[in-house]
Amino acid sequence: MRYNLFIDGNFIEPESGEWIDSTDPYTGEVWAQIPRGDAGDAAKAVLAAKQAMASGPWATMSASGRGALLRRIADKVAENAEHLARIEVKDNGKLLAEMRGQMKAIVHQWHYYAGLSDKIEGALIPVENADTLAFTMREPIGVVAALTAWNSPVMFATMKSAPALAAGCTVVVKPSEFASASTLELARLLQECGLPDGVFNVVTGLGQEAGAALVEHPDVAKVTFTGSDVTGARIYETAARSMKRVSLELGGKSPNIVFEDANLDAAAAGVIAGIFGAAGQMCIAGSRLLVQNSIKEAFTARLVAMASRIRLGDPMCPETNAGPIATPPQYQKVLDYIAVARSEGARCILGGKPAEGPGIRGGQFVEPTIFTDVRNTMRIAQEEVFGPVLSIIGFESEDDAVSIGNDVAYGLVAGVWTESIARAARLSKAMKVGTVWVNTYRSYSHMMPFGGMKKSGIGRESGIEAVHEYLETKSVFISTASLAPENPFVMR
Ligand code: NAD
């Protein structure tokens, strides 16, 4: 299958005349070809998006008209959910069952932002001067460049585009070069729904070519990015030069904190799902298990027993618990971190090498891996692996748990397992993260804001807050006075 770029309502070939192979990480076979878009293609897409903002049906469409369009998109995605889910699995090797679940969440997102389109309001402000009418207007920020990672491409494209379109912006999406097909399929669905030309564009290609060109483009008003902190920092720097607005959803090294008073069955299941689900390729991975010393040994033994039973294999198969690592560089990175952990003195008590056996194909599987004797200063406790590697760290008291949990550059999420409501409340306040999960992990709702503190990012996606990421507030003062001011040289 050979794809084309989606620019100004048309599927067109890239200026480079080149395509990038898209490989199924489970079979190791090339299954699609993705256009290698470059700066020229990025410029075309931005021009189309700029023109669509300035004139034509999108520029004059009412807020309720935008809502109706987004609702149609929700229905269209629902009709095509199975098709999109299967493409995601082919591109990133995540479980079909998980991708089907994600499609349901994506349909909710489109409906949610459809409903918000006509609820974007300014306010009448009761300013001091009686002869002044003062109010605020919420205006679309302009052309949005949305750069996304490979682990959940349609989800990320939707999390960014749905609120941006609800706000009246236009969008150019640059998906990961490792998993671009599903975003181009999404573009086809939006086209079929009658979204005006230029409102939603997709430029695929390499990050340093198509991606960088979008970030540098003077007519892009806002960059919204999901990916690694290294790329995020580069984008932030570049965007600052032209004062672009920026939202960054970056990585994590999240603590999953288990107290001795927890429901340990639930905690063990939560810890396993939090690090071995999606083969650990989640920004929210609970990659540091902080466990109270009094239960550490028994709880660790329980985790090892559970993790040993994880079935690796074909992500399309319902019996599989985890698929392959999505990309060759990521696979190598996971193995490198396992070597780093060993060299630092951490003790590997499960896994620690490439997985083999029946159902394993494609050469990109890593065994579920558990390290104990980890100190929080080690690289394996501080740096994001983005793979199925758990580091176990013991703690004595609640204060220790909080200080070790927060002693990391990231601040995306934290899990807390306790039966004490007072402790749950204290930890919810104390953790320096964007999301706290108490007695649960990986809970998601399109209505709840999501984003990171510290090195995990800037801004929030999902919920009402996401729409505000795509709006500028304008203040308007209208004088109703019939006489000129007595003294024009003082502020009124
Ligand atoms: P990445 O940073 O390598 O790439 C992300 C996107 O940026 C891709 O589309 C890529 O082509 C593009 N890009 C790369 N270099 C660029 C440049 N110089 N200019 C502009 N664009 C550029 O990330 P990845 O490997 O695709 O994804 C994994 C990372 O994403 C992990 O660190 C993970 O934690 C993070 N992530 C975060 C969240 C979140 O919501 N916080 C969710 C999922 C993944």
Side-chain angles (χ1 to χ4, degrees):
M1 174 82 190
R2 175 181 271 206
Y3 284 90
N4 279 326
L5 305 169
F6 185 66
I7 297 176
D8 206 12
N10 298 302
F11 285 96
I12 61 166
E13 298 198 346
E15 284 190 0
S16 66
E18 289 179 40
W19 277 257
I20 301 165
D21 287 342
S22 217
T23 306
D24 178 336
Y26 178 62
T27 61
E29 286 158 14
V30 173
W31 78 276
Q33 288 187 312
I34 301 302
R36 182 172 174 172
D38 60 17
D41 301 302
K44 273 188 209 157
V46 173
L47 179 63
K50 186 183 172 189
Q51 285 172 342
M53 279 288 313
S55 60
W58 185 251
T60 52
M61 193 178 287
S62 68
S64 40
R66 290 202 304 275
L69 240 175
L70 265 59
R71 220 161 278 123
R72 276 212 293 283
I73 294 172
D75 292 339
K76 193 69 151 178
V77 172
E79 284 161 26
N80 290 272
E82 182 67 15
H83 176 65
L84 288 171
R86 285 180 179 272
I87 288 182
E88 296 285 51
V89 177
K90 271 182 162 307
D91 252 352
N92 66 16
K94 277 172 117 174
L95 297 187
L96 179 59
E98 175 155 344
M99 289 298 113
R100 281 177 175 154
Q102 249 186 32
M103 291 308 148
K104 287 194 183 131
I106 288 164
V107 172
H108 279 308
Q109 285 173 355
W110 284 108
H111 275 300
Y112 180 81
Y113 291 105
L116 279 182
S117 297
D118 57 3
K119 293 165 194 69
I120 295 166
E121 297 167 346
L124 193 69
I125 314 286
V127 294
E128 259 71 27
N129 290 338
D131 57 2
T132 301
L133 183 65
F135 58 91
T136 56
M137 303 197 305
R138 313 302 305 269
E139 297 187 341
I141 212 162
V143 175
V144 173
L147 309 166
T148 61
W150 42 259
N151 52 339
S152 299
V154 181
M155 181 86 162
F156 297 146
T158 301
M159 279 170 115
K160 297 174 187 312
S161 304
L165 297 184
C169 296
T170 57
V171 181
V172 182
V173 185
K174 208 305 275 170
S176 165
E177 51 271 41
F178 293 107
S180 292
S182 57
T183 308
L184 288 163
E185 294 277 349
L186 180 69
R188 185 175 54 76
L189 301 181
L190 269 56
Q191 183 193 39
E192 287 171 13
C193 288
L195 196 67
D197 294 350
V199 174
F200 181 88
N201 309 272
V202 182
V203 177
T204 58
L206 303 178
Q208 59 275 27
E209 294 177 0
L214 286 172
V215 178
E216 281 160 22
H217 200 292
D219 291 330
V220 168
K222 159 108 192 182
V223 179
T224 170
F225 169 80
T226 296
S228 65
D229 55 308
V230 175
T231 311
R234 190 172 306 148
I235 286 172
Y236 198 23
E237 274 179 45
T238 308
R241 279 183 232 136
S242 50
M243 217 52 86
K244 289 184 172 63
R245 278 66 180 131
V246 174
S247 299
L248 303 170
E249 293 290 343
L250 310 175
K253 193 73 195 179
S254 299
N256 217 339
I257 308 175
V258 180
F259 289 94
E260 61 190 4
D261 67 358
N263 172 339
L264 296 181
D265 291 335
V271 171
I272 293 287
I275 185 65
F276 299 122
Q281 299 166 101
M282 306 170 274
C283 52
I284 54 165
S287 48
R288 284 185 303 151
L289 166 63
L290 310 190
V291 56
Q292 203 148 19
N293 284 332
S294 52
I295 57 164
K296 184 170 168 231
E297 205 171 312
F299 193 72
T300 300
R302 185 194 277 235
L303 290 182
V304 169
M306 287 172 80
S308 314
R309 291 196 294 273
I310 289 172
R311 284 186 302 267
L312 302 178
D314 184 351
M316 294 280 187
C317 171
E319 280 78 42
T320 302
N321 300 137
I325 302 297
T327 72
Q330 185 58 35
Y331 172 72
Q332 193 51 52
K333 183 176 158 194
V334 175
L335 294 179
D336 290 348
Y337 266 112
I338 289 172
V340 166
R342 284 203 169 98
S343 72
E344 290 178 304
R347 189 156 56 91
C348 186
I349 53 170
L350 184 75
K353 57 183 191 313
E356 288 165 5
I360 304 281
R361 292 175 62 190
Q364 279 173 214
F365 279 86
V366 177
E367 291 178 345
T369 296
I370 300 181
F371 281 99
T372 191
D373 295 347
V374 175
R375 287 187 312 281
N376 200 48
T377 48
M378 291 178 176
R379 285 182 62 197
I380 197 64
Q382 291 288 322
E383 297 176 19
E384 184 183 51
V385 176
F386 221 61
V389 182
L390 179 67
S391 295
I392 301 183
I393 301 170
F395 70 85
E396 267 312 306
S397 66
E398 187 180 308
D399 284 350
D400 288 346
V402 170
S403 91
I404 299 169
N406 282 335
D407 186 13
V408 68
Y410 296 103
L412 195 56
V413 301
V416 178
W417 301 85
T418 176
E419 291 294 280
S420 158
I421 187 146
R423 174 173 274 162
R426 284 194 297 271
L427 269 279
S428 302
K429 223 173 143 183
M431 298 313 298
K432 298 285 175 237
V433 295
T435 297
V436 177
W437 285 312
V438 178
N439 295 336
T440 181
Y441 205 85
R442 284 184 90 189
S443 292
Y444 163 82
S445 168
H446 58 280
M447 297 174 230
M448 289 288 278
F450 178 80
M453 292 187 186
K454 295 154 71 180
K455 210 178 161 189
S456 289
I458 295 171
R460 291 293 177 269
E461 299 201 301
S462 296
I464 294 173
E465 293 193 29
V467 177
H468 296 173
E469 300 278 334
Y470 301 100
L471 293 166
E472 292 274 23
T473 300
K474 180 183 279 178
S475 293
V476 181
F477 293 75
I478 300 180
S479 172
T480 57
S482 45
L483 300 174
E486 266 174 33
N487 181 353
F489 299 102
V490 296
M491 207 163 114
R492 23 182 351 256

